[in-house]
Amino acid sequence: MAPALQEGGQDERGRIHGDLHRENVIALPGGGIGVIDFDDCGEGHFLIDIATVFSSVHRIARTKPGTYEEFARAFLTGYTQVRPLPADFARLLEPYLLLRDAFILNFVTAAAPVNAVVASWGPGRIAGSVANMQAYVEGRPYPGTLTCDQS
């Protein structure tokens, strides 16, 4: 996985949000959306933000067949109107989804002892992330990965 995370040229890296999950996107009065919570903002590969969005939506949409895939296609359509997808997007998405779950494991284990809200949802999230990682080690696609015909 490490070599995949090191791939990409300067045109695939830049300012990223770093935590672009659904709770950090808000509806604006009069229409449109806004993004909040920029404390993880920094320089990085654009796939970090894409994988974070996908991971966040996959957790809630996976139970209704086709919903996640429909969202992902619509998201990518909008994304590519602003910026092209990184080279080898389909191949690199999976390692970045795995990286996102690793970020979550780190966050939950650090925050749960001192944050009651995280302690309430953290154990379930850890169990889900570990199950995702275990399935990946066993050779199954990482949850949220898109096939070429889906992207």
Side-chain angles (χ1 to χ4, degrees):
M1 181 175 66
L5 299 179
Q6 295 170 357
E7 290 184 31
Q10 287 301 93
D11 56 335
E12 296 174 355
R13 298 176 183 281
R15 179 74 57 194
I16 60 170
H17 184 277
D19 195 25
L20 194 57
H21 57 80
R22 66 185 184 277
E23 287 87 7
N24 284 339
V25 177
I26 60 171
L28 297 174
I33 61 169
V35 177
I36 61 171
D37 191 9
F38 287 87
D39 62 322
D40 291 332
C41 186
E43 297 292 318
H45 198 291
F46 297 130
L47 265 167
I48 292 172
D49 281 345
I50 296 170
T52 301
V53 169
F54 282 8
S55 173
S56 173
V57 171
H58 186 266
R59 280 194 325 277
I60 61 168
R62 69 179 182 264
T63 58
K64 192 172 177 186
T67 303
Y68 169 73
E69 293 77 11
E70 182 180 341
F71 167 82
R73 280 191 301 275
F75 177 86
L76 293 175
T77 297
Y79 186 95
T80 56
Q81 291 177 5
V82 177
R83 172 189 314 284
L85 288 175
D88 291 331
F89 166 80
R91 184 177 60 81
L92 293 176
L93 178 60
E94 189 171 52
Y96 277 92
L97 289 166
L98 180 62
L99 178 65
R100 176 61 186 171
D101 270 352
F103 288 165
I104 292 299
L105 291 175
N106 182 60
F107 171 75
V108 170
T109 57
V114 296
N115 183 317
V117 173
V118 175
S120 71
W121 59 260
R125 188 69 188 279
I126 287 173
S129 294
V130 170
N132 289 346
M133 292 172 178
Q134 181 63 39
Y136 178 73
V137 167
E138 293 170 0
R140 287 177 271 173
Y142 208 80
T145 302
L146 300 170
T147 61
C148 290
D149 60 315
Q150 293 171 320
S151 59

